[in-house]
Amino acid sequence: MAERFDWFTEAVSTDLLPVEIKTDRASDFHADIGAVELGALTVSTLEFSPVWSRRTPAHIRRGDPEQYQLALIQDNAMRACQFGRDSGLVVDGFIVSNTSAPLECDTDREGGPIRVIVLQIPRSELPLLARRADHLVARRLPRTGLGAVMADFLTSLRDNGPDCRSEELPALGRVALEMATAYLAEQLGTLDCTAPEIRARALLERAKVFIERNLGDPELTPRAVADHHHISLRGLYALFGDEPEGVAALIRTRRLERCRADLARRELCALSVQVIAARWGFSNATVFGRAFRQAYGLAPGEYRRHALSPGSAREVERSCTLRRPRPTVHA
C-alpha cells in the first residue's frame, strides 16, 4: 500500500505524459489504470484517489506525445488550467487539454475516487486547425447532444474494448476520431464545415442512441427516427447502408434482446410474457412470439422456464447466443 502512489505517478508519467502529481492520501492511495490501443488513438481509463498535478515546460521537454486529450470526468470532480483559462470543477462532462502546453489539474480533495476516460488524439490526426481546437482547451464541455453520444461510446470502449479482436481496434479508432472531431467541431460552431463523412457518422451515432433510449415506445419506427433527426426516410436508410443491420432490423433486434434479458430475470417472474413484450415496444403478442422464436429458437415462455430453472440457464443462454443475430456494435 505504501508504494501505490509512487506506482501511480510513474505509470501516468510513463504511459500518458510526464507530470508532477501530489496527494494528501498517499498512505491509503487507490488507483487503477487501463488502456486500449485503437491504432493511432488510445483510450486510457483511470480511477484514483484525489490528487493535484502540474505539467511544466521541463516536463514537456522530457516528453510530449503531441496530443489533444479529451477527458470524460466521472464521479468526483476535476478542474484544468491551461492557456490562462480555468475550467472550474467539472462533474460528468468533458475537458480538453493540449499536451504541448503547461497544464495544472486538481480534483475535489474532499471527495472520493475520481474516474476519467481519456481519448488520446495525435494532433496530426485531428482534422481541425490547432488554433481553433485550442479555443476548447480548459473549458467545461457538456455531456449533451453529441457529447452524450461521445460519452456512451467512450464508456462502451472502456467496458468492451479489451474483449475486441485486434483487427477490430483500428476501425474503432477511426470511429472514435470521427466522433471526437464532430463533437469538438460542434462546440466550435463549425460542424457544417467538417467533412461530410464525419457529419454522417455523428448523425448515425445520434440515431442509434435515440433508438436505444426509446425501445419501449411502440411508436418507434424508422419514420419516427427520421422525423426526430429532421432527415428523410430515404436519407435514414442511406445512413444505415453500411451497417450490419438496417434501421428497422436494429430496432427489432434490440427490442428482442431487452425482452430476452427480462425473461431471464428472476425478480421479474411475476410479469407475464405479454407485459414484458409490451414493455419493450411489442404491442402484438403473436408478432412478438414469432419474432422471438425466429431469433432464439424457443418460444418466449419456453425460454423463460428454462432460463429460470436451476442448472439449465447457462445451456439455454449458450444455445440462444448461437442462434440469435449478431448484434450491432453500439458506438
Side-chain angles (χ1 to χ4, degrees):
M1 184 176 291
E3 299 175 354
R4 288 178 178 175
F5 178 66
D6 290 340
W7 167 84
F8 175 74
T9 301
E10 181 179 352
V12 170
S13 293
T14 301
D15 298 335
L16 281 176
L17 72 176
V19 63
E20 176 188 12
I21 304 176
K22 295 183 178 181
T23 186
D24 52 12
R25 303 192 186 184
S27 62
D28 62 346
F29 194 80
H30 164 81
D32 186 45
I33 299 177
V36 180
E37 301 288 343
L38 305 174
L41 278 65
T42 301
V43 171
S44 296
T45 60
L46 304 95
E47 179 178 340
F48 51 90
S49 301
V51 300
W52 60 98
S53 65
R54 183 177 63 156
R55 179 165 163 80
T56 66
H59 291 113
I60 296 170
R61 288 192 295 272
R62 278 174 47 198
D64 181 11
E66 299 185 350
Q67 297 172 343
Y68 284 104
Q69 298 191 345
L70 178 63
L72 172 63
I73 313 303
Q74 301 175 311
D75 302 330
N76 202 309
M78 176 177 283
R79 72 189 305 159
C81 299
Q82 195 169 45
F83 292 142
R85 289 192 293 271
D86 186 334
S87 68
L89 285 174
V90 174
V91 181
D92 198 30
F94 289 95
I95 297 178
V96 176
S97 61
N98 183 335
T99 65
S100 299
L103 171 69
E104 292 187 7
C105 292
D106 199 356
T107 59
D108 180 0
R109 302 181 193 182
E110 301 301 320
I114 186 168
R115 288 190 299 156
V116 184
I117 305 176
V118 183
L119 181 62
Q120 300 168 242
I121 310 171
R123 289 207 304 272
S124 59
E125 298 287 330
L126 186 67
L128 296 174
L129 293 175
R131 60 181 175 81
R132 295 284 292 158
D134 283 344
H135 283 296
L136 298 176
V137 165
R139 300 186 189 277
R140 186 194 185 283
L141 302 184
R143 184 176 173 168
T144 56
L146 275 178
V149 176
M150 191 77 231
D152 288 347
F153 180 59
L154 291 179
T155 302
S156 180
L157 281 177
R158 178 197 66 195
D159 296 340
N160 303 306
D163 297 325
C164 291
R165 299 190 302 271
S166 59
E167 60 269 24
E168 296 175 322
L169 295 176
L172 289 174
R174 291 190 292 271
V175 173
L177 178 60
E178 291 170 358
M179 292 181 60
T181 300
Y183 174 57
L184 297 177
E186 180 188 56
Q187 297 304 308
L188 290 167
T190 59
L191 181 58
D192 291 341
C193 300
T194 56
E197 60 271 18
I198 293 177
R199 297 200 305 273
R201 169 60 67 176
L203 182 57
L204 173 64
E205 299 309 327
R206 286 208 305 268
K208 288 182 179 180
V209 170
F210 177 77
I211 289 170
E212 196 69 24
R213 291 177 175 173
N214 291 276
L215 290 172
D217 182 357
E219 301 299 319
L220 179 65
T221 62
R223 170 62 69 184
V225 176
D227 289 347
H228 180 82
H229 293 89
H230 309 293
I231 59 176
S232 68
L233 193 58
R234 184 175 181 178
L236 180 69
Y237 290 146
L239 202 62
F240 278 79
D242 293 330
E243 292 295 295
E245 292 179 303
V247 60
L250 175 62
I251 293 172
R252 183 177 62 252
T253 296
R254 294 298 296 136
R255 281 173 166 166
L256 287 170
E257 289 174 348
R258 293 295 187 93
C259 290
R260 184 184 63 84
D262 280 0
L263 288 170
R265 292 172 60 185
R266 195 169 299 276
E267 65 271 24
L268 298 181
C269 63
L271 298 181
S272 68
V273 170
Q274 289 79 7
V275 168
I276 287 178
R279 187 182 189 189
W280 294 112
F282 288 102
S283 55
N284 186 303
T286 302
V287 171
F288 168 66
R290 185 184 306 119
F292 193 95
R293 181 184 288 275
Q294 183 179 7
Y296 302 119
L298 294 172
E302 185 181 3
Y303 170 80
R304 173 181 247 184
R305 286 192 296 274
H306 283 285
L308 298 180
S309 174
S312 63
R314 182 175 299 178
E315 182 61 28
V316 170
E317 173 65 18
R318 188 185 73 84
S319 174
C320 289
T321 300
L322 293 175
R323 290 184 62 94
R324 72 174 182 264
R326 184 179 179 181
T328 301
V329 175
H330 294 282

